[in-house]
């Protein structure tokens, strides 16, 4: 998926505010993932985006499965934090 299609909502029935929120969300995720180290980004990509099992990711990257779990958790925690910051205005 290229960055252009990642920022384009797939459901044309979304109203304008939903489309704006979707683009904001995609932008926050893109910036966050692009700022990760290669190790974190690679592990997250394999485990979450390519849906490889943690065991397979560990074998592919020649790292312990606990490291895979730790890296994925670290990225998910960072994404949650960045999304909360990015959408704080909507929570009030």
């Amino acid at each position: 998926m290229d960055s252009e299609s990642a920022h384009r909502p797939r459901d044309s029935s979304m109203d304008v505010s939903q489309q704006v929120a979707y683009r904001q969300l995609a932008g926050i995720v893109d910036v966050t993932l692009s700022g990760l180290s290669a190790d974190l980004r690679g592990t997250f990509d394999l485990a979450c985006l390519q849906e490889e099992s943690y065991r397979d990711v560990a074998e592919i990257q020649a790292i312990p499965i606990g490291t895979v779990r730790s890296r994925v958790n670290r990225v998910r925690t960072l994404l949650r934090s960045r999304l909360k910051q990015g959408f704080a205005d909507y929570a009030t």
Side-chain angles (χ1 to χ4, degrees), residues 21-53:
Y22 180 89
R23 286 189 183 106
Q24 275 187 294
L25 171 73
I28 291 168
V29 171
D30 284 348
V31 167
T32 301
L33 294 180
S34 67
L36 296 174
S37 69
D39 290 340
L40 285 174
R41 188 174 46 252
T43 302
F44 187 79
D45 179 61
L46 287 169
C48 297
L49 304 178
Q50 295 185 39
E51 299 180 349
E52 296 286 345
S53 72

Side-chain angles (χ1 to χ4, degrees), residues 8-20:
R8 190 179 328 115
R10 295 177 192 212
D11 185 354
S12 62
S13 67
M14 285 188 202
D15 66 26
V16 174
S17 65
Q18 289 172 318
Q19 291 177 13
V20 169

